[in-house]
């Protein structure tokens, strides 16, 4: 599983990464994390605001920090 956090490295982006790492650990999954800070790379995704979460190249959320339950449901459903 490849998880990308899209954002400049602000507090919200870092919080999203922390919550996602906790959810991955809670589920006992293996995932590679990438924090994408380059604006050109971020613009390649259909997001208008950051932070954004991309799981296996699918945008799950943008512009807000999801709840832990949302994160867990998305990660459980990932192939």
């Amino acid at each position: 599983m490849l998880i990308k956090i899209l954002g400049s490295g602000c507090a919200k982006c870092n919080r999203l990464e922390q919550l996602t790492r906790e959810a991955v650990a809670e589920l006992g999954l293996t995932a590679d994390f990438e924090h994408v800070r380059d604006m050109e790379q971020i613009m390649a995704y259909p997001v208008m605001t950051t932070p954004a979460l991309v799981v296996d190249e699918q945008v799950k959320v943008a512009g807000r920090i999801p709840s832990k339950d949302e994160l867990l449901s998305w990660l459980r459903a990932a192939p």
Side-chain angles (χ1 to χ4, degrees), residues 5-79:
I5 307 297
L6 309 182
S8 63
C10 66
K12 287 183 180 182
C13 299
N14 293 334
R15 180 69 180 143
L16 176 58
E17 182 172 357
Q18 177 187 5
L19 288 172
T20 306
R21 286 183 182 273
E22 289 172 7
V24 165
E26 185 174 318
L27 293 171
L29 300 173
T30 301
D32 292 318
F33 280 82
E34 185 178 329
H35 198 128
V36 180
R37 292 179 175 87
D38 180 70
M39 199 49 74
E40 285 186 29
Q41 289 180 4
I42 292 171
M43 291 172 58
Y45 293 91
V47 299
M48 296 301 289
T49 56
T50 60
L53 175 68
V54 179
V55 179
D56 291 332
E57 295 305 316
Q58 289 189 334
V59 176
K60 296 297 184 182
V61 67
R64 67 180 178 88
I65 297 176
S67 70
K68 188 171 186 178
D69 287 339
E70 285 177 300
L71 283 170
L72 291 171
S73 69
W74 294 331
L75 295 171
R76 277 189 200 105

